[in-house]
């Protein structure tokens, strides 16, 4: 799997993983500020940005048996799927290629957070610290998973990102951002729209069938920074609070006037919080 990535700055490595259906360019506000002090590596996850857009393997491997039973959705078991764990494997492969075998700081937003939690659960020796932003450890409830699988079909049928854009965009930003940052809303809209429908459908299936990582949180042995936009309408702040309470060495920061994309909506606050956290690691 070829992942496109940006790599800039000196010093200790910080990897930033984007949300769905965005790409690494969502970290534009972090790359410059953090990149002045740290080596910031920003991949595009599979199917997104400039990375490969694979067909996605047969979905049965990724579908937990209870979903198969409960959702009865798999008349076509060869539909493409990008399992979250495969996205995590891609990131580890990239770090291997870059010969970064020492533990690194990994941060992810929303889907990027799910990938981060997969990495820390499955490759704990590769992680120096975690940053979990606007994300959660729990899996989709059956009804939410079914809605995603249905949406994947619609996206494929229409061969367009539009069904996902129109369902997500109104929920992504805080009221403050919608009012004061229309150019940011337009930019994110454009970024979502250019993601390939095939990748969107396969990722929706991966999201719907991801592993619930809640029970693994108490086993995390590295420091974690949990950031939540106070007005996040996609993942409520209560999820961040629960995650921070369950991780032994976690710090929670709630960001005012931010929704689901806190690092873009309130970049100055988020950058300051991240720099403090990273500074505390040395
Ligand atoms: C994201 O921003 O990555 C998505 O909202 C994740 C999700 O829908 O669970």
């Amino acid at each position: 799997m070829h992942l496109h990535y940006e790599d800039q700055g000196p010093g200790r490595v910080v990897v930033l993983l984007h949300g769905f259906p965005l790409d690494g360019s969502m970290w534009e506000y972090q790359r410059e500020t953090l990149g002045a002090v740290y080596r910031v590596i920003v991949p595009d996850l599979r199917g997104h940005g400039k990375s490969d857009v694979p067909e996605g393997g047969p979905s049965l491997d990724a579908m937990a048996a209870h979903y198969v039973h409960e959702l009865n959705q798999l008349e076509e078991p060869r539909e493409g799927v990008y399992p979250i764990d495969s996205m995590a494997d891609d990131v580890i492969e990239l770090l291997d290629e870059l010969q970064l075998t020492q533990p690194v700081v990994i941060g992810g937003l929303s889907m990027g957070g799910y990938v981060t939690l997969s990495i820390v659960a499955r490759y704990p020796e590769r992680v120096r610290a975690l940053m979990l932003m606007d994300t959660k450890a729990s899996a989709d409830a059956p009804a939410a998973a079914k809605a995603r699988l249905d949406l994947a079909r619609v996206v494929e049928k229409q061969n367009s990102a539009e069904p996902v854009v129109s369902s997500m965009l109104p929920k992504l930003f805080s009221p403050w951002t919608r009012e004061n940052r229309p150019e940011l809303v337009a930019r994110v809209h454009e970024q979502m729209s250019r993601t390939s429908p095939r990748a969107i459908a396969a990722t929706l299936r991966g999201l719907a069938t991801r592993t619930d990582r809640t029970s693994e949180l108490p086993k995390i042995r590295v420091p974690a920074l949990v950031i939540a936009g106070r007005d996040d309408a996609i993942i409520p702040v209560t999820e961040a609070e629960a995650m921070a309470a369950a991780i032994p060495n976690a710090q929670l920061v709630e960001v005012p006037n931010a929704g689901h994309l806190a690092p873009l909506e309130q970049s100055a606050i988020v950058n300051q919080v991240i720099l403090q956290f990273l500074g505390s690691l040395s």
Side-chain angles (χ1 to χ4, degrees):
M1 181 73 48
H2 171 72
L3 292 193
H4 172 82
Y5 65 95
E6 302 291 337
D7 183 352
Q8 77 181 72
R12 286 214 316 263
V13 173
V14 178
V15 179
L16 296 176
L17 305 176
H18 61 81
F20 166 78
L22 304 170
D23 58 49
S25 63
M26 68 149 275
W27 297 110
E28 63 183 309
Y29 299 113
Q30 279 67 49
R31 275 180 47 201
E32 204 169 311
T33 306
L34 305 185
V37 194
Y38 298 99
R39 179 174 173 191
V40 181
I41 297 178
V42 176
D44 291 340
L45 296 169
R46 63 167 65 188
H48 296 74
K50 297 184 192 142
S51 286
D52 283 353
V53 184
E55 290 286 347
S59 54
L60 268 181
D61 281 356
M63 300 277 174
H66 70 278
Y67 281 115
V68 176
H69 175 70
E70 272 184 47
L71 302 172
N72 194 23
Q73 277 288 314
L74 298 179
E75 313 91 60
E76 298 161 49
R78 299 197 74 79
E79 290 166 321
V81 59
Y82 296 170
I84 293 298
D85 288 349
S86 302
M87 290 185 169
D89 295 343
D90 296 342
V91 174
I92 293 296
E93 249 173 60
L94 173 64
L95 292 175
D96 287 345
E97 266 166 41
L98 295 171
Q99 301 186 332
L100 295 170
T101 50
Q102 295 303 309
V104 297
V105 178
I106 305 189
L109 179 127
S110 197
M111 176 178 78
Y114 309 156
V115 176
T116 303
L117 287 172
S118 168
I119 293 174
V120 76
R122 296 164 57 245
Y123 304 94
E125 72 287 357
R126 307 300 292 265
V127 183
R128 167 73 182 89
L130 292 179
M131 300 190 293
L132 301 166
M133 305 177 220
D134 299 301
T135 192
K136 61 183 175 183
S138 55
D140 279 7
K146 183 177 181 324
R148 286 214 218 248
L149 298 178
D150 290 346
L151 188 57
R153 291 249 166 91
V154 175
V155 165
E156 277 173 340
K157 205 161 160 211
Q158 296 186 10
N159 193 28
S160 163
E162 189 44 38
V164 163
V165 173
S166 56
S167 79
M168 280 185 79
L169 199 65
K171 294 183 268 179
L172 279 180
F173 300 99
S174 66
W176 185 91
T177 302
R178 279 201 299 273
E179 177 80 18
N180 295 288
R181 307 272 314 272
E183 84 298 341
L184 176 63
V185 176
R187 227 169 40 244
V188 168
H189 186 171
E190 198 270 321
Q191 203 179 117
M192 293 169 90
S193 303
R194 64 176 185 240
T195 304
S196 109
R198 179 167 81 195
I200 288 184
T203 306
L204 282 167
R205 295 192 183 99
L207 289 166
T209 55
R210 70 187 189 278
T211 304
D212 192 318
R213 299 280 175 203
T214 309
S215 66
E216 287 157 32
L217 298 177
K219 298 180 213 153
I220 294 176
R221 289 287 162 258
V222 291
L225 171 64
V226 180
I227 295 178
R230 244 182 226 157
D231 302 325
D232 190 337
I234 293 186
I235 298 182
V237 169
T238 47
E239 293 276 1
E241 289 166 353
M243 234 174 9
I247 299 174
N249 185 3
Q251 169 194 347
L252 171 67
V253 176
E254 295 181 13
V255 183
N257 291 328
H260 190 58
L261 299 180
L264 288 87
E265 298 178 72
Q266 296 296 340
S267 56
I269 297 176
V270 170
N271 287 348
Q272 195 191 3
V273 166
I274 290 178
L275 283 171
Q276 259 169 20
F277 175 70
L278 295 175
S280 75
L281 300 174
S282 41

